[in-house]
Amino acid sequence: MASKFIASTLEDYRKLYKESTVDPEKFWHEFATEEFIWKRKWNTVLQYDLLKPEIRWFEGAQLNITENCLDRHISELGNKTAIIWEPNNPDESTLHITYKELLSNVNRAANMLKSLGAKKGDRICLYMPMIPELAYAVLACARIGAIHSVVFAGFSAKSLADRINDAQCNIVLTADGGFRGSKVTPLKDIADEALSSCPSVQKCVVVRRTESAVNWHSQRDVWWHEEFAKASDTCEAETMDAEDMLFILYTSGSTGKPKGMVHTCGGYMVWTNFTFRNVFQYKPEDIYWCTADVGWITGHSYILYGPLSAGATTLMFEGIPSYPDMGRFWEVVEKHRVNIFYTAPTAIRSLEASDRSFADSHDLSTLKTLGTVGEPINLEAWEWYDEVIGKKHCPIVDTWWQTETGGIMISSLAGVTPDKPTFATYPMPGVQPAIMDEQGTEVLENPAEGRLCIKFPWPGMARTIYGDHERFRQTYYSTFPGNYFTGDGCKRDENGMYRITGRVDDIVIVSGHNLGTAEIENAINEHPLVNESAVVGYPHDIKGNSIYAFITCIHKPENIETLKREVVDVVSKLIGPIAKPEKIQICTGLPKTRSGKIMRRILRKIASGETDNFGDISTLLNPECVEEIASNRL
Ligand code: WT7
């Protein structure tokens, strides 16, 4: 496992960072050569033009990522546990799936998909709970060269249908239902509703999980367990070009329509492996647990591809932190003797708000590294995590990255480089950040503050938005030409450590979920009585941010409480419960510029509790409404 590409000391990190920036092609050529199996080597390491943008890593190379995640480990690690699966209900049995078993199950699932007509290049949608079949399905798609599009199982029928239609998926995999805490989500019913408007879908594969009653469309639906039992457990891995698509994953956009971020086989594999090993400093005996859902990029990169390509034991948890009680995470850490634990600030804050005895009553002594991801972590939560969970001896890696970046970009390396509370700290080798001022000029001296860009390609970067390259260019490469613009604001201290301060565009991060305000507004506007709406985020103790909706009505509502309830329902139905507004304020008008753009800046201030100091509002079309909104603030 020892590799000169995995830093063990601060000196190593400095050396790797330098090499990766002085001669990136040499650096990635050597890492990719030494650490993976390729069916054919590349002609060029990197070709790029960030204006178009066009990015190609390892052009000419051929591989299959599942051979790197599975087959190559079999001779030495065949009987090692690849996945520990922990069910929602602690009374149900845990599963320990070895690398050998995982390979055989992935092959079965791959043959099952083939028998249903799946081919290389097809898009396959996975709308599944956190069960082992989800891991098999993801890897099975990769095995046969089909492009997976995992849709988080908390999304509504409408959101699911939009994503299936955007990618023109021909197969959907789901389950009869999903367990989450004390609730059962009727996944098959939701999928049925979605599929009534998805003509591209030929087959729907259903895993039996909750044994809930389901409707059956005999032309279209098949049971996983029936097809899986018929399938052989050997399946040759499809030969993929390094730049072939591996998956599409949807993330919120500011114009309402979610963006299907495209990641490719070679670069993504290299990046998730490199970052996983460096950041978490995984050692062969470690038990590693990332609490994310596979429906998000964190689950793709750091439950599945990164850890498996590194031959790690990765824990996959079906449940939620609060069921059966707020001690569940710590019970699982104790039960499986977890060494590396990776979660989100929103989970940390909600656990912090519960009684300390939930943590103190469990043996957490196996923990040696803690991680966080998803949003800025506040000092109080950081200190609680450090003290109550890490007992002050675990390094905390605060990992900044995005769906678009494929893997971790800025983070300390556990126990190797220093951490600093609320700072993501230093860039990963291969990452060249730049802070831009309002004029688009790079701020070179420290300390610095501005917008965060990345000025040189890295292997894990998204290549396009599925079906809309122009939107990809516009969103990420037009604001600061020649650079990738992250959409985040950031600060850099006198030592060059980065602190991410949050989104500077119209995205709100609620409980670590990235939500587009425009998408939520579109949903609210579906209510017949709503005339216009403006959605902003405001700080919330547990969720990080919460949603505040300002709405105007076509006529005066008869019952304000009923209207609010209906607005919440429509958002739940069209997007999903995670996007529900916490506060809804009915206004007579929304502040607008003369060109008719809603001034969200002012609403954001009001929502977060500032009721004066709005700057110059005299240029507004309707300045009088500001005072009314401020004085009626909820
Ligand atoms: C946005 C990306 C990356 C997987 C989870 C979210 C915010 C993420 C951090 C961090 C401060 C962070 C940023 C980023 N974010 N990690 N450690 N510190 N902010 O992926 O849904 O694509 O969201 O999450 O604002 O742009 P995502």
Side-chain angles (χ1 to χ4, degrees):
M1 284 299 271
S3 157
K4 66 171 184 183
F5 294 96
I6 310 304
S8 307
T9 62
L10 183 58
E11 270 317 293
D12 288 350
Y13 162 75
R14 293 216 169 101
K15 186 161 164 279
L16 288 176
Y17 190 80
K18 195 163 173 206
E19 287 170 5
S20 73
T21 40
V22 171
D23 192 347
E25 293 196 36
K26 177 165 179 280
F27 184 86
W28 294 112
H29 172 84
E30 287 180 4
F31 179 69
T33 302
E34 286 177 29
E35 306 289 335
F36 304 92
I37 49 169
W38 301 86
K39 291 175 188 276
R40 197 174 91 193
K41 291 288 283 293
W42 42 91
N43 304 324
T44 52
V45 176
L46 169 64
Q47 285 175 294
Y48 72 100
D49 174 349
L50 291 185
L51 292 173
K52 284 185 174 165
E54 202 176 282
I55 306 119
R56 274 175 279 157
W57 282 92
F58 309 111
E59 173 106 309
Q62 292 182 328
L63 75 154
N64 187 292
I65 194 170
T66 68
E67 288 186 333
N68 285 279
C69 290
L70 304 170
D71 307 64
R72 69 157 158 165
H73 301 318
I74 298 301
S75 62
E76 280 183 34
L77 306 176
N79 294 320
K80 175 175 177 172
T81 300
I83 298 179
I84 299 175
W85 179 73
E86 176 64 30
N88 176 61
N89 184 338
D91 296 333
E92 199 184 329
S93 317
T94 297
L95 290 178
H96 285 82
I97 304 154
T98 64
Y99 271 95
K100 234 194 250 162
E101 290 164 340
L102 182 58
L103 174 60
S104 134
N105 288 330
V106 168
N107 283 342
R108 280 226 156 112
N111 286 322
M112 168 181 82
L113 291 174
K114 279 189 183 170
S115 75
L116 296 172
K119 301 177 309 301
K120 178 175 179 173
D122 287 354
R123 277 80 54 217
I124 296 185
C125 175
L126 315 184
Y127 183 67
M128 298 171 75
M130 283 284 284
I131 53 179
E133 288 82 354
L134 172 55
Y136 307 155
V138 165
L139 296 164
C141 289
R143 188 97 180 152
I144 65 172
I147 298 159
H148 54 78
S149 164
V150 184
V151 176
F152 173 61
F155 276 117
S156 67
K158 165 90 169 43
S159 298
L160 175 60
D162 288 348
R163 286 159 175 76
I164 293 171
N165 287 330
D166 185 72
Q168 290 289 292
C169 297
N170 58 350
I171 300 180
V172 173
L173 286 83
T174 187
D176 51 357
F179 292 120
R180 257 176 89 77
S182 56
K183 290 195 199 128
V184 174
T185 316
L187 296 175
K188 175 64 163 68
D189 290 350
I190 300 171
D192 282 342
E193 189 187 332
L195 293 189
S196 67
S197 59
C198 299
S200 60
V201 175
Q202 307 291 324
K203 289 286 170 199
C204 177
V205 185
V206 186
V207 178
R208 190 142 75 197
R209 173 66 188 127
T210 55
E211 316 220 334
S212 320
V214 292
N215 292 314
W216 208 251
H217 300 248
S218 55
Q219 297 295 305
R220 186 193 72 196
D221 300 346
V222 296
W223 283 111
W224 171 293
H225 58 270
E226 290 177 1
E227 302 304 311
F228 191 78
K230 288 186 236 161
S232 141
D233 72 350
T234 53
C235 175
E236 204 178 316
E238 185 70 41
T239 299
M240 305 298 288
D241 287 343
E243 281 297 333
D244 279 342
M245 286 185 203
L246 174 63
F247 65 85
I248 303 169
L249 185 62
Y250 287 86
T251 185
S252 297
S254 54
T255 62
K257 194 173 171 243
K259 299 172 286 197
M261 303 312 309
V262 170
H263 286 282
T264 56
C265 299
Y268 177 81
M269 171 181 77
V270 166
W271 190 241
T272 51
N273 177 280
F274 179 80
T275 51
F276 173 75
R277 291 163 68 197
N278 266 301
V279 170
F280 297 105
Q281 294 285 307
Y282 184 85
K283 300 289 177 296
E285 303 309 316
D286 288 343
I287 308 291
Y288 161 86
W289 180 17
C290 163
T291 69
D293 192 287
V294 170
W296 310 115
I297 190 72
T298 312
H300 283 58
S301 303
Y302 298 112
I303 295 177
L304 298 178
Y305 289 114
L308 294 175
S309 71
T313 297
T314 172
L315 194 151
M316 181 175 181
F317 176 47
E318 183 185 29
I320 54 173
S322 55
Y323 177 83
D325 61 39
M326 296 303 279
R328 183 66 164 133
F329 271 4
W330 318 127
E331 182 207 332
V332 174
V333 167
E334 176 175 354
K335 176 172 175 188
H336 296 294
R337 307 191 58 73
V338 171
N339 307 110
I340 306 172
F341 178 76
Y342 188 29
T343 195
T346 181
I348 298 170
R349 287 189 298 265
S350 72
L351 294 163
E352 178 193 352
S354 68
D355 199 291
R356 194 184 154 140
S357 64
F358 284 115
D360 288 346
S361 59
H362 292 283
D363 176 6
L364 306 180
S365 64
T366 51
L367 288 174
K368 58 175 190 183
T369 295
L370 302 176
T372 120
V373 58
E375 56 187 309
I377 182 166
N378 48 307
L379 185 59
E380 196 186 306
W382 196 98
E383 285 173 342
W384 181 86
Y385 202 26
D386 182 38
E387 188 185 316
V388 177
I389 306 307
K391 318 290 182 204
K392 294 221 168 244
H393 70 81
C394 298
I396 297 181
V397 293
D398 178 351
T399 65
W400 174 83
W401 58 296
Q402 307 175 298
T403 304
E404 293 85 343
T405 68
I408 295 167
M409 299 292 280
I410 304 182
S411 172
S412 53
L413 313 184
V416 170
T417 65
D419 52 29
K420 174 171 173 180
T422 77
F423 279 68
T425 75
Y426 294 124
M428 296 299 296
V431 174
Q432 301 186 32
I435 295 183
M436 304 294 185
D437 67 16
E438 303 268 323
Q439 282 70 47
T441 314
E442 183 175 354
V443 188
L444 294 167
E445 62 287 347
N446 293 338
E449 181 167 3
R451 291 163 187 234
L452 178 62
C453 289
I454 312 292
K455 55 185 178 183
F456 192 83
W458 65 99
M461 65 203 301
R463 303 296 194 262
T464 192
I465 291 173
Y466 191 79
D468 199 347
H469 195 67
E470 175 51 21
R471 185 174 178 205
F472 183 65
R473 189 191 66 77
Q474 263 275 308
T475 312
Y476 304 106
Y477 292 91
S478 68
T479 318
F480 301 103
N483 296 273
Y484 167 75
F485 175 42
T486 64
D488 282 335
C490 98
K491 292 183 179 172
R492 189 172 53 209
D493 74 6
E494 47 298 326
N495 301 314
M497 282 189 171
Y498 289 81
R499 178 196 172 142
I500 312 302
T501 48
R503 305 292 306 183
V504 294
D505 55 14
D506 287 334
I507 300 269
V508 187
I509 305 221
V510 180
S511 299
H513 298 144
N514 188 322
L515 302 169
T517 54
E519 204 182 338
I520 303 172
E521 288 164 10
N522 291 345
I524 294 176
N525 297 347
E526 292 285 302
H527 189 287
L529 199 55
V530 171
N531 179 26
E532 266 191 317
S533 62
V535 161
V536 297
Y538 69 98
H540 183 280
D541 285 349
I542 306 282
K543 301 184 197 172
N545 292 294
S546 208
I547 305 275
Y548 197 128
F550 298 89
I551 62 180
T552 64
C553 295
I554 292 168
H555 57 76
K556 205 165 175 286
E558 273 165 33
N559 184 326
I560 291 184
E561 290 315 310
T562 314
L563 172 65
K564 287 187 183 180
R565 210 169 333 120
E566 288 169 355
V567 166
V568 167
D569 286 348
V570 78
V571 173
S572 278
K573 183 152 184 302
L574 294 179
I575 304 173
I578 48 173
K580 287 192 293 205
E582 178 116 356
K583 293 185 179 175
I584 300 172
Q585 180 175 344
I586 321 262
C587 320
T588 55
L590 299 174
K592 287 192 184 165
T593 63
R594 291 190 188 254
S595 63
K597 268 188 120 187
I598 297 173
M599 290 286 277
R600 286 191 183 68
R601 178 177 63 78
I602 294 173
L603 297 175
R604 227 176 271 135
K605 279 201 167 169
I606 296 176
S608 57
E610 255 182 75
T611 43
D612 44 24
N613 253 326
F614 298 118
D616 182 14
I617 57 170
S618 62
T619 55
L620 289 182
L621 201 59
N622 49 353
E624 68 289 347
C625 77
V626 174
E627 198 177 311
E628 176 211 292
I629 296 175
S631 60
N632 292 336
R633 175 179 177 271
L634 299 174

